[in-house]
Amino acid sequence: MSKTSFPTTPLGRIKLFFTFFDSRWEDINKDNWAKVVYKDFSAGLIVAMTAIPMAMGFAMAMGMRPENGIIAGALACMVGRTFGGSKYQVYGPTAAFIPVIAALFTKYGPASGGTFEVAHGFLVLVSIIAGIILIIMGTYGFGRFAKLVPNSIIVGFTIGIAVAIALTNLEDVLGIESFRDLLGQDEEIRGGIIHNLQSAFQNLDKINVWSIFLGLLTFALAKGLLRISIFIPGPIIALGVSTLLSATVLSDKGIILVKDIYGSIPNNFFVFTPPSMPDMTAQVIIDIFYFVGAIVFVSGVESVLCSSMADRLANNKRTPFNPDKEFFGQGLVQIITPLVQGFPCTGALARTATSIKAGATTPLAGYFKAILKLTMAYYLAQYLELIPMACIGGILIWVASNMIKPSEIREVKHLGKFEFAMLLYTAVMVPVTDFLTGVLSALIIYFVVKAVFKRKVKSIL
């Protein structure tokens, strides 16, 4: 097999999918193994320290518990590193899944009269179905089609998700436990971001200025320290400083902590979570199609996008990532991870970039990251519950700020007015409506307009 050729038949692909020592390990040999292992270990350590607060924040933003994020990130990385198609990619919770999973928990969880267990079981079910679809897509060579999604829409939905994350985490930074409790309402909160923003502005007199201070401090430290050096775990230092302040000089300022919302964080991470189905109705069937489609779309597009970015960032001159094997690996991630107290995960752009910049060369970095993350979280669990919710909000706003890249916007703008218009449309529709509605409507408009334009050009010629 040449360095850029991959199997072209389903049987050949399946054989490759279950080949552990494939081209992803080509950069380690008997002469350099000690150096490579050391670099991969240090990269895994840096990413693990960065990933713990991010994973907790993502899980809570989705409506889940902090420990769900910890186990999801570690297990997804183990499965993805074993079966995925990229040398460098780091798997874990990502911002793109926040609106998808949050919508499911809002609809089937306590906010709508259900339970956390019912919502989580339903999430496991749709994630398994999505995983099976991804495996089939990888087996039959659908990986290449993920590259057909226009860059303008990819950048647009990234911006839209960033805006949604920043706005929906305002309540934590403002020191408000929840808008529903604040307003004394028992019914489900409707209206999404717009409604939540209206609720916030109607209750500005109830905000906690010390929570705002801690949120801004966390944001500034996380962003500033990483600018100094990639080897400084900015997010975990920011959480440590802010947590220390809240436990000492600010202990009597009414700051809401993680334990006030979620209680103690257990360190028995590996708990089997079976799939479950709500009472069968037409709406449930529609929701299954919706959430399965959303998980497949995010998994496919973000994993291929992250893998492509990783090859470019690492200046990979040898075998590139395999999109079909990446789909297969993503399918197993979506099947296995939710079954053990987790949720859907995919390739994480920021953590992958951090890993590469820290020296990662082989999939070993991902294994080290998963093991070190679980080890640190196990021993730190009793302290993680003392983190102020404002700090979690600050971390997520930092994540959101990193998702909006002016260089990518300028690149799309240079492609023409139509491409830039599609970027703006997607960026607005994703937070205003929902993830899948915004992206699918953008894709339909894009390809219809392109088809009509081509037809007109042919008729003129």
Side-chain angles (χ1 to χ4, degrees):
M1 183 186 297
S2 68
K3 69 177 183 178
T4 58
S5 64
F6 297 117
T8 57
T9 64
L11 188 60
R13 293 189 188 100
I14 291 174
K15 184 178 179 181
L16 176 63
F17 295 163
F18 287 100
T19 301
F20 181 73
F21 288 107
D22 56 9
S23 59
R24 295 172 302 154
W25 299 89
E26 63 189 355
D27 295 313
I28 185 172
N29 53 58
K30 63 180 182 179
D31 296 322
N32 69 358
W33 70 268
K35 180 180 178 181
V36 169
V37 170
Y38 173 77
K39 291 171 66 178
D40 284 344
F41 178 84
S42 61
L45 178 60
I46 293 296
V47 176
M49 289 191 290
T50 303
I52 289 176
M54 292 176 66
M56 292 175 59
F58 285 147
M60 288 185 273
M62 293 170 181
M64 303 186 73
R65 291 182 53 83
E67 63 267 24
N68 295 135
I70 294 170
I71 185 61
L75 189 56
C77 212
M78 296 289 285
V79 177
R81 289 291 70 231
T82 303
F83 296 101
S86 170
K87 299 177 185 179
Y88 313 102
Q89 188 159 242
V90 175
Y91 299 80
T94 61
F97 272 126
I98 289 178
V100 177
I101 299 176
L104 186 150
F105 270 84
T106 298
K107 194 162 191 177
Y108 291 93
S112 298
T115 65
F116 179 87
E117 290 72 23
V118 168
H120 198 181
F122 187 47
L123 174 63
V124 175
L125 175 68
V126 295
S127 187
I128 290 174
I129 297 172
I132 293 170
I133 293 173
L134 285 163
I135 288 174
I136 294 172
M137 291 171 68
T139 302
Y140 286 92
F142 279 72
R144 65 188 186 277
F145 293 114
K147 297 180 180 181
L148 298 180
V149 178
N151 193 46
S152 55
I153 293 178
I154 291 174
V155 176
F157 94 74
T158 302
I159 295 172
I161 290 169
V163 172
I165 292 171
L167 295 181
T168 52
N169 282 281
L170 274 179
E171 64 177 72
D172 291 328
V173 176
L174 294 175
I176 301 170
E177 182 172 345
S178 75
F179 289 123
R180 186 170 60 155
D181 293 340
L182 176 69
L183 299 173
Q185 296 175 338
D186 293 325
E187 69 273 11
E188 175 188 357
I189 296 179
R190 303 184 184 276
I193 291 172
I194 295 176
H195 185 278
N196 284 350
L197 286 175
Q198 289 175 342
S199 299
F201 285 117
Q202 290 170 2
N203 294 273
L204 291 178
D205 59 319
K206 298 180 177 66
I207 64 176
N208 186 314
V209 293
W210 295 109
S211 289
I212 296 175
F213 167 73
L214 289 178
L216 293 177
L217 177 64
T218 304
F219 172 85
L221 284 175
K223 202 169 188 70
L225 290 174
L226 282 175
R227 282 186 175 180
I228 295 172
S229 173
I230 195 69
F231 294 98
I232 300 176
I236 205 162
I237 291 176
L239 284 188
V241 171
S242 297
T243 301
L244 181 62
L245 286 174
S246 70
T248 54
V249 295
L250 301 179
S251 60
D252 59 345
K253 302 301 182 183
I255 296 169
I256 300 169
L257 307 180
V258 168
K259 68 177 182 180
D260 297 328
I261 309 281
Y262 299 97
S264 297
I265 297 178
N267 54 15
N268 56 328
F269 298 128
F270 295 96
V271 178
F272 177 67
T273 309
S276 64
M277 170 79 78
D279 294 335
M280 183 61 70
T281 63
Q283 185 59 52
V284 169
I285 295 174
I286 293 172
D287 287 343
I288 289 174
F289 280 99
Y290 175 88
F291 291 116
V292 168
I295 293 170
V296 169
F297 182 86
V298 172
S299 300
V301 172
E302 191 161 24
S303 65
V304 171
L305 177 67
C306 186
S307 298
S308 300
M309 179 276 296
D311 276 352
R312 291 196 306 271
L313 191 61
N315 194 26
N316 181 24
K317 300 293 186 182
R318 305 181 75 180
T319 308
F321 82 97
N322 183 336
D324 294 326
K325 188 169 185 179
E326 185 57 37
F327 267 34
F328 178 80
Q330 281 289 304
L332 289 178
V333 167
Q334 311 314 2
I335 291 172
I336 297 172
T337 306
L339 283 170
V340 192
Q341 205 178 198
F343 49 79
C345 295
T346 185
L349 290 162
R351 274 151 284 170
T352 298
T354 301
S355 181
I356 293 170
K357 291 177 182 178
T361 306
T362 74
L364 274 176
Y367 290 117
F368 284 132
K369 174 255 184 181
I371 295 169
L372 291 168
K373 179 180 179 180
L374 280 180
T375 302
M376 287 188 289
Y378 179 87
Y379 289 104
L380 292 175
Q382 59 181 317
Y383 304 107
L384 295 177
E385 64 192 50
L386 301 177
I387 296 173
M389 288 299 296
C391 298
I392 299 297
I395 289 290
L396 289 174
I397 293 174
W398 165 70
V399 169
S401 71
N402 290 335
M403 294 174 69
I404 301 176
K405 296 179 172 61
S407 60
E408 292 182 347
I409 298 173
R410 288 193 296 269
E411 184 179 329
V412 172
K413 197 171 183 179
H414 290 156
L415 296 176
K417 293 181 179 179
F418 174 68
E419 298 285 348
F420 188 64
M422 292 309 305
L423 181 154
L424 294 176
Y425 173 85
T426 311
V428 171
M429 288 296 289
V430 166
V432 169
T433 58
D434 61 78
F435 166 78
L436 209 55
T437 300
V439 172
L440 286 181
S441 62
L443 286 171
I444 292 170
I445 293 171
Y446 184 92
F447 287 112
V448 167
V449 170
K450 285 288 186 179
V452 171
F453 179 75
K454 285 183 179 179
R455 199 174 295 119
K456 285 186 177 181
V457 171
K458 286 182 179 179
S459 65
I460 292 173
L461 296 176

